[in-house]
Amino acid sequence: MTRAGTAPSDEEIVRRVQAGEEPLFSVIFERHYGRLERFVRYQGVPEGDLEDVLAETFSRAFARIRSFNTESGTRYVSYLYAIARNIVTDRLRERGRAPDAIHLEEAWAEPDLDSEAPVEIVMRREEMERIREALARLNPSDREIITLSYDRELSCREIMEVMGKPSITSVTTHLYKAMKRLRELVLKSEPAVPAR
């Protein structure tokens, strides 16, 4: 039961779907479609394949909903990410191709044209472009962990489950190293300051 005025948790919805209220799965779909779309896009899935991957993700989740144990302590959202990740991995493996460039537009907002000076806007855009280019040069595993870390609702434990890491320590270590590599790539791409 949920308190009056609060939305039911994913796990409560799953329990109700398992009990026969199957139309409620649409709440899960609407709640998580956008964030899974960003995740799939960041993994290098071409725009033309996004809808297919997402449809397959939610179809598998719905088809297997009775096997999800709501008492296990695993949040349903991390289960959805794991399904999406497996589908993306399978598709990219089938095609034998590397992921396309990754763009994390949502991670760094575009400049506010009304409140920033033109020089600040240009400098910020150049910095964001350097970050995006550096992200595209990272290996897929590093891009994935950085992308997952930007989903503020996922804990290190859930990232561990999605990525199949052996421990939370391995997640934090990998994230630290990935961010260090990203920073190094960004610093290398900074324009040289002319000597005076």
Side-chain angles (χ1 to χ4, degrees):
M1 274 321 220
T2 58
R3 289 177 283 147
T6 61
S9 68
D10 292 342
E11 293 71 33
E12 174 62 25
I13 292 169
V14 168
R15 279 191 288 274
R16 291 172 62 183
V17 171
Q18 290 171 338
E21 293 182 62
E22 293 178 353
L24 274 180
F25 191 76
S26 65
V27 174
I28 297 283
F29 177 85
E30 291 169 14
R31 189 176 283 176
H32 298 298
Y33 186 91
R35 60 199 306 201
L36 285 171
E37 179 183 29
R38 286 189 298 275
F39 174 71
V40 168
R41 180 179 285 119
Y42 301 157
Q43 299 315 303
V45 172
E47 285 292 320
D49 292 346
L50 277 176
E51 285 186 24
D52 289 344
V53 169
L54 291 163
E56 188 174 347
T57 298
F58 284 102
S59 293
R60 279 192 196 178
F62 182 71
R64 299 174 182 171
I65 199 158
R66 296 202 188 290
S67 66
F68 183 79
N69 180 358
T70 58
E71 305 303 319
S72 69
T74 299
R75 289 195 317 152
Y76 195 69
V77 66
S78 61
Y79 179 70
L80 290 174
Y81 272 105
I83 292 172
R85 181 180 192 262
N86 289 339
I87 292 169
V88 168
T89 301
D90 291 347
R91 282 188 175 227
L92 293 178
R93 190 178 299 132
E94 284 171 13
R95 291 191 174 164
R97 55 182 285 280
D100 297 334
I102 305 304
H103 299 286
L104 291 176
E105 292 87 0
E106 289 82 11
W108 297 280
E110 288 299 317
D112 181 355
L113 301 176
D114 296 328
S115 68
E116 293 186 62
V119 172
E120 291 172 341
I121 292 170
V122 169
M123 291 176 65
R124 182 174 160 144
R125 282 190 176 149
E126 287 176 359
E127 182 182 2
M128 293 307 102
E129 189 54 37
R130 283 197 309 275
I131 292 170
R132 289 177 185 131
E133 288 172 3
L135 277 164
R137 293 197 325 251
L138 287 174
N139 68 51
S141 179
D142 286 351
R143 272 196 310 265
E144 181 180 24
I145 199 160
I146 290 171
T147 303
L148 287 171
S149 75
Y150 274 96
D151 185 342
R152 303 283 188 237
E153 289 188 36
L154 287 183
S155 66
C156 285
R157 180 172 300 286
E158 289 165 331
I159 293 171
M160 176 187 81
E161 292 170 0
V162 171
M163 293 188 72
K165 295 277 187 189
S167 68
I168 291 173
T169 303
S170 68
V171 170
T172 56
T173 301
H174 185 174
L175 182 58
Y176 169 77
K177 289 179 179 178
M179 292 301 290
K180 185 176 175 187
R181 281 189 280 271
L182 177 63
R183 184 174 186 277
E184 288 168 358
L185 289 170
V186 170
L187 290 175
K188 282 181 186 175
S189 69
E190 284 185 0
V193 177
R196 294 184 188 213

